[in-house]
Amino acid sequence: MKAGDHVPRVLILYPYDERLAATTAAGEAVRTRLLQATKARIDLFSEFLDLSRFPEAEHIGRMARYLSAKYAGRRPDVVIALGEVSARFIVANRRELAASATIIVAGFSSRTAEEMDLPNDVVGAFSEFDIVKTAEMARGLQPEARHLFIIGGSSEFDRSWLATARADLAAFSRDYNTTYLEDLTIEEFTKVAAEVPRDSIILALTILKDRDGRNFMPREAVKQIAETAGAPIYGPYLTYIDYGVVGGSVVTFESLGKTVADIALEAVAGKPISNLESPQTYVADARQLERWGLSEKNLPAGAIQMFKEPTFWEQYWLAAVLTLAVITAQGSVIAGLLVERRRRRAAEAESRHRLLEVVHLNQSATAGALSASIAHELNQPLGAIRSNAEAAAVILQSDRPDLELVDQILVDIQNDDQRAHDVISRMRGLLKKRGEIDWQEFDLNDVTTSAISILRGEAVRRGIVVNSNRAPRELPVRADRIHVQQVILNLATNAMDAMLEVMTTDRRLLLETTLTTDSKVELSIADTGHGIPDGQLASIFEPFYTTKPTGTGLGLSIARAIVETYGGKISAANRPGGGAVFRVVLPLARNG
Ligand code: ADP
């Protein structure tokens, strides 16, 4: 994978739906940075796995199959899995979904990664959620505090977090009267927190489940507790800010986004990558400092204060209400349009699928028609290999074999073997089936050359001289290469058919590529055949129109469908000196 070869595809996997602020904001930060750093020469995709509400194996399997089919024609080069569940998902399903992609996981600690036993080639942008730094920040703000409470829930993750915190806070908690609040229901947490003495520090880890097994978004649980708490609460997550906590040492979305994007950019550039840790920042909520009478002077150096200004809502509530009313009114119109668009998309997908099937039948027919000349082409190197091998055997049997000559013969054999190999791989390429369009950027000159290689044998058999005139510059096109090649093959076989009755000395086929004056890419295929009767110029592109005894009348209509799929046009004309010329015009993928 090298920058410049093709536009790299990066797939970002979000663990939940789009409402979970932490991953969505982190993902946005990744996107912004990737787009900036690559000047938008990157294809970004997002998928929300929704694994918290649908943790069942069937959903996961269904999701994996769906994504595998969806990305069949656009396999990502890099997959970024945000959060632990996304990481588990991609590690389990990478073979089907993104077999050769670089996998970057992010948003959890290296310790969690170790427990997950990630494959060696999976690289992490880890966030260490440092409860000790958060505790130190609390000590700085509340030098008079004597009590320390640590809150954690009952899920497996909550419990392991509590165990980690116990070990990490062992030294810190010696200075305080310390209590771990665990194995409680949400009501009990709220009640106990309301009754703690004012000179307490409360540290909130996570509550994903309470003792009754009820599920929570941790910040929602923390918010409920903070509303009536008797002392300030701190937590090591940015998502807790604005949910009643004073602050903590956190990994900001920008910081996480930057770390992830930096790894992804190295991966895209084909450089080796390794684990990184996202730097942490102290963050405080100015409104909570005020609520508890804590002085901002006691914040650690470099701390960021949020909500210092009046909120957007406070400043602009009237404008916001009016805007909301307009948006609601537009909502129903937009909803209608969306339904219509979905219907159209489904119809488009169906017709694209049909086209792919038809093109494949067309490819097979071309391969069939060319098989005699391809077999002949294959016979040449194989025959040469046999005669060369026989000659070498004779030389080696002599008393003083000329080894230099044998050496030369072996080189010839290798070259012939390569020729045979080329013929077979061209044939394979010709038959490649597509489930989805494989969009690539390629040079029209190159596809023309490879189509000529496929046709040359047949042209020789029919006594046709093939000439090509390449544009002196690269002609980048964005399309499925195999499809464009098929268009050329259809037009060129028609041209060869049209020259059947012409004297052998006058059978000429000319393929030309040019850049048009209005910056489009043009391929013309001209022949010296019988031409097209004037009245028929409009009909020849119609399906089933044929003047050949064994024709299907589909070659040109398929060619037109392909060209139009890629935003191009195809046309036919008679040449003044006799014969026909077909022109295919496609958009230029990029200039320069
Ligand atoms: P088929 O080749 O099976 O007839 P096509 O759709 O490819 O189907 O072509 C339709 C018809 O267009 C041909 O039968 C022929 O009459 C006409 N045609 C196509 N290409 C040429 C050409 N280069 N010169 C003259 N007539 C052509």
Side-chain angles (χ1 to χ4, degrees):
M1 215 180 347
K2 233 169 52 262
D5 276 350
H6 83 135
V7 178
R9 300 187 192 109
V10 176
L11 169 63
I12 306 180
L13 295 179
Y14 295 81
Y16 307 114
D17 63 14
E18 70 290 347
R19 292 168 314 138
L20 196 88
T23 48
T24 309
E28 268 318 302
V30 176
R31 290 180 77 91
T32 311
R33 179 143 178 98
L34 283 176
L35 287 169
Q36 261 169 9
T38 59
K39 300 207 172 61
R41 255 188 69 77
I42 194 158
D43 243 357
L44 286 172
F45 302 87
S46 303
E47 296 293 342
F48 294 88
L49 302 175
D50 212 355
L51 295 177
S52 68
R53 287 182 302 172
F54 299 89
E56 302 81 18
E58 297 92 87
H59 168 71
I60 297 174
R62 218 168 20 237
M63 193 60 140
R65 284 194 299 281
Y66 161 70
L67 293 179
S68 163
K70 177 171 173 185
Y71 288 92
R74 260 161 266 185
R75 294 281 175 221
D77 301 307
V78 175
V79 178
I80 295 172
L82 297 175
E84 193 186 329
V85 283
S86 303
R88 284 189 199 282
F89 175 85
I90 189 63
V91 166
N93 298 294
R94 68 194 289 193
R95 214 151 44 95
E96 299 82 58
L97 187 52
S100 53
T102 305
I103 313 270
I104 302 170
V105 298
F108 48 91
S109 68
S110 53
R111 188 164 14 192
T112 308
E114 251 165 56
E115 281 161 18
M116 287 166 67
D117 202 13
L118 292 174
N120 286 341
D121 62 333
V122 169
V123 167
F126 296 120
S127 306
E128 305 305 332
F129 299 108
D130 197 332
I131 196 64
V132 179
K133 281 207 186 119
T134 300
E136 296 289 359
M137 172 176 166
R139 193 210 302 268
L141 284 167
Q142 293 177 252
E144 77 299 343
R146 294 291 159 260
H147 306 273
L148 174 67
F149 293 89
I150 298 111
I151 296 181
S154 301
S155 79
E156 210 177 301
F157 179 85
D158 299 332
R159 285 183 197 283
S160 82
W161 212 161
L162 276 161
T164 308
R166 261 203 178 83
D168 292 352
L169 288 170
F172 182 89
S173 59
R174 248 177 253 137
D175 300 338
Y176 296 88
N177 178 4
T178 302
T179 315
Y180 280 82
L181 301 176
E182 51 193 319
D183 266 332
L184 300 179
T185 64
I186 187 73
E187 290 78 20
E188 288 165 346
F189 277 125
T190 312
K191 186 161 176 292
V192 178
E195 288 164 2
V196 302
R198 176 65 182 77
D199 59 345
S200 304
I201 290 170
I202 305 176
L203 300 177
L205 304 175
T206 53
I207 302 176
L208 285 157
K209 258 191 201 344
D210 73 354
R211 195 191 57 213
D212 285 349
R214 270 180 293 172
N215 291 309
F216 294 93
M217 291 268 196
R219 61 181 175 161
E220 300 287 353
V222 167
K223 182 177 183 192
Q224 193 172 329
I225 298 168
E227 253 153 32
T228 50
I233 303 191
Y234 303 81
Y237 297 103
L238 187 60
T239 44
Y240 288 0
I241 300 283
D242 200 22
Y243 281 70
V245 302
V246 174
S249 168
V250 306
V251 172
T252 62
F253 302 133
E254 287 71 25
S255 160
L256 178 67
K258 183 176 173 320
T259 321
V260 174
D262 285 350
I263 301 180
L265 288 168
E266 297 277 293
V268 162
K271 297 193 189 143
I273 53 172
S274 52
N275 295 338
L276 279 182
E277 197 179 301
S278 307
Q280 298 186 22
T281 317
Y282 289 105
V283 174
D285 183 336
R287 298 164 308 182
Q288 295 296 329
L289 292 176
E290 204 184 305
R291 170 183 170 194
W292 297 106
L294 305 172
S295 166
E296 63 180 76
K297 283 204 300 289
N298 292 333
L299 281 171
I304 298 171
Q305 274 195 70
M306 295 172 84
F307 305 107
K308 247 190 123 165
E309 302 296 325
T311 62
F312 172 84
W313 187 249
E314 284 159 358
Q315 274 186 38
Y316 301 112
W317 69 271
L318 183 59
V321 167
L322 288 176
T323 312
L324 214 76
V326 174
I327 291 172
T328 315
Q330 285 174 345
S332 53
V333 178
I334 292 170
L337 289 175
L338 285 177
V339 169
E340 194 41 47
R341 189 176 68 171
R342 191 172 313 144
R343 268 200 212 123
R344 206 185 59 224
R345 287 229 173 118
E348 278 170 7
E350 177 62 24
S351 85
R352 197 169 53 237
H353 184 69
R354 292 255 160 80
L355 174 68
L356 291 171
E357 289 289 329
V358 172
V359 173
H360 188 240
L361 288 175
N362 184 211
Q363 285 172 256
S364 313
T366 310
L370 297 178
S371 59
S373 57
I374 290 175
H376 179 73
E377 236 186 304
L378 206 52
N379 261 338
Q380 283 180 338
L382 292 180
I385 288 172
R386 202 182 53 214
S387 345
N388 267 328
E390 282 166 3
V394 171
I395 296 171
L396 288 173
Q397 271 161 15
S398 70
D399 291 341
R400 295 180 54 205
D402 181 348
L403 291 181
E404 241 175 66
L405 193 56
V406 174
D407 238 14
Q408 185 51 50
I409 287 176
L410 287 177
V411 171
D412 287 350
I413 288 180
Q414 273 172 358
N415 290 341
D416 284 323
D417 176 66
Q418 185 60 45
R419 269 171 66 199
H421 176 83
D422 291 346
V423 174
I424 290 169
S425 60
R426 278 204 301 272
M427 185 77 178
R428 264 218 203 106
L430 180 59
L431 284 169
K432 225 176 235 168
K433 186 165 185 184
R434 295 280 189 243
E436 266 298 332
I437 291 175
D438 183 11
W439 290 91
Q440 312 161 15
E441 189 181 303
F442 55 85
D443 187 352
L444 184 69
N445 292 316
D446 293 346
V447 185
T448 310
T449 307
S450 62
I452 293 176
S453 318
I454 292 173
L455 290 164
R456 194 175 293 281
E458 184 65 14
V460 170
R461 203 165 73 89
R462 298 193 191 191
I464 298 168
V465 177
V466 182
N467 282 308
S468 68
N469 230 336
R470 283 167 67 110
R473 54 159 280 173
E474 195 194 6
L475 298 176
V477 170
R478 235 175 106 65
D480 191 321
R481 194 188 166 99
I482 293 289
H483 289 172
V484 174
Q485 174 176 289
Q486 190 58 36
V487 171
I488 306 176
L489 293 177
N490 284 0
L491 298 180
T493 34
N494 274 343
M496 294 201 284
D497 288 347
M499 293 188 280
L500 273 180
E501 311 287 310
V502 177
M503 294 227 309
T504 36
T505 45
D506 290 337
R507 295 179 185 172
R508 285 190 306 278
L509 181 63
L510 174 64
L511 293 94
E512 253 180 316
T513 53
T514 42
L515 185 67
T516 64
T517 41
D518 56 346
S519 283
K520 296 211 163 94
V521 168
E522 183 183 293
L523 164 76
S524 71
I525 299 186
D527 60 63
T528 51
H530 55 61
I532 305 154
D534 273 344
Q536 304 301 331
L537 272 170
S539 333
I540 54 171
F541 289 99
E542 293 302 319
F544 309 115
Y545 174 86
T546 181
T547 54
K548 301 173 195 169
T550 54
T552 58
L554 289 175
L556 288 179
S557 64
I558 292 173
R560 182 171 65 178
I562 293 177
V563 171
E564 287 178 354
T565 299
Y566 300 114
K569 284 212 161 61
I570 186 167
S571 60
N574 283 314
R575 301 167 73 204
V581 56
F582 283 76
R583 289 198 178 82
V584 173
V585 177
L586 288 166
L588 185 69
R590 75 191 140 76
N591 237 322

